[in-house]
Amino acid sequence: MAEPLRLPAQTSKEDPTVPTASQLQQFIRFGLDTLGERNAHHGFETLSLAVARRRIASNLLPATGPVSMGGDQGRDAESYFTRLRSEAPEASAFARLASNEAIVLACTIQRRNIAQKIRSDIASICSTGTPVHRIAYFTVAPVPVSTRHALQDQARTDFHVAVDIFDSLWLAQELAEPDLFHLAETYLQVPSEFAPPPDGADAHPEWYLNARTRWREREEFTGQLRAVPQLLVTGEMILLCLL
């Protein structure tokens, strides 16, 4: 009589085939750095808007209109009015993250003279359209803290507007989170196998990792299909199994 299956002690061990959080962030940063080479500015706009809707304000409307019709005037997206935040803040995740401020989203994949580019876009945003309370600026180029503070001070002095600058380091950290990883998979071609575990999920136990490794390494199918003569089925379905 065969002995009953005994599962090994459930001690946790990380899967060596899955990158660590820091490795995943580096992989995402590489994907962001190559957007310029692929001329993927529109893709970065879409990615930035999706991140902003989950982290900054849910009530953001993407800009439309070709350059010949005036372009987006530096505004890749802007907030629209809603009362949900004040009237029903707990109604949904959208209502909890809706903003009462006038927010503009701007982004660029430009890497050279990034401070000048941001400064120029801020001036364009604040000189046209409705008044703005806050600008969320997304860039794939890293922005030093001193440069960020200088740009924020100048925007506050010249245009009385608050500016938040989100560079590739911040983006990589957020895209490596379980709820945003699908965006990295979609827009940066990060393999789905790199997905981080869901929030609150424990590491796989050792017995599970060992069993999964054995099954992944199997290359041959040892079972066979046995020919079955014609059967006369009466009343009930006959289930044929692999023998």
Side-chain angles (χ1 to χ4, degrees):
M1 181 176 180
E3 295 183 0
L5 176 64
R6 298 180 182 274
L7 296 179
Q10 297 187 10
T11 57
S12 297
K13 183 173 70 175
E14 295 295 335
D15 185 349
T17 64
V18 178
T20 64
S22 60
Q23 290 172 334
L24 176 57
Q25 291 172 21
Q26 288 296 325
F27 196 97
I28 292 174
R29 288 193 68 181
F30 174 79
L32 291 169
D33 288 342
T34 59
L35 287 174
E37 301 172 6
R38 294 186 278 119
N39 196 27
H41 179 76
H42 181 69
F44 184 59
E45 287 182 5
T46 307
L47 170 63
S48 300
L49 177 58
V51 174
R53 281 174 168 168
R54 296 294 298 272
R55 293 294 189 263
I56 300 173
S58 56
N59 56 324
L60 289 173
L61 182 69
T64 56
V67 175
S68 60
M69 298 298 293
D72 57 19
Q73 299 176 334
R75 304 183 181 202
D76 295 310
E78 55 188 345
S79 60
Y80 55 88
F81 178 75
T82 177
R83 292 184 180 275
L84 285 176
R85 177 69 179 270
S86 56
E87 294 184 354
E90 300 302 324
S92 64
F94 176 90
R96 289 193 295 272
L97 201 56
S99 175
N100 294 327
E101 292 183 314
I103 299 177
V104 164
L105 171 68
C107 55
T108 183
I109 58 175
Q110 179 175 315
R111 299 190 62 85
R112 296 184 178 181
N113 302 320
I114 187 61
Q116 180 180 348
K117 169 63 174 173
I118 295 175
R119 192 178 297 111
S120 174
D121 284 346
I122 292 174
S124 177
I125 291 169
C126 295
S127 60
T128 58
T130 57
V132 179
H133 296 117
R134 184 173 298 275
I135 298 173
Y137 202 103
F138 284 65
T139 171
V140 298
V143 180
V145 174
S146 58
T147 302
R148 181 187 306 138
H149 291 170
L151 290 168
Q152 291 171 329
D153 291 341
Q154 184 176 0
R156 189 163 44 247
T157 300
D158 295 347
F159 302 105
H160 306 286
V161 64
V163 177
D164 295 315
I165 300 174
F166 305 97
D167 61 11
S168 59
L169 178 60
W170 181 86
L171 272 171
Q173 292 174 347
E174 295 304 314
L175 291 172
E177 292 295 320
D179 64 323
L180 294 186
F181 176 78
H182 68 283
L183 298 175
E185 184 181 357
T186 301
Y187 295 102
L188 303 177
Q189 289 75 53
V190 178
S192 59
E193 292 81 4
F194 289 5
D199 289 332
D202 296 330
H204 293 310
E206 185 175 1
W207 66 264
Y208 170 82
L209 295 176
N210 293 336
R212 185 174 66 179
T213 300
R214 288 198 305 272
W215 280 102
R216 285 179 173 177
E217 292 176 349
R218 294 182 66 176
E219 298 180 355
E220 297 182 358
F221 177 65
T222 57
Q224 61 181 358
L225 292 174
R226 177 175 297 178
V228 180
Q230 185 176 4
L231 300 176
L232 178 62
V233 181
T234 58
E236 297 182 354
M237 178 183 296
I238 298 178
L239 178 63
L240 300 178
C241 301
L242 295 178
L243 301 177

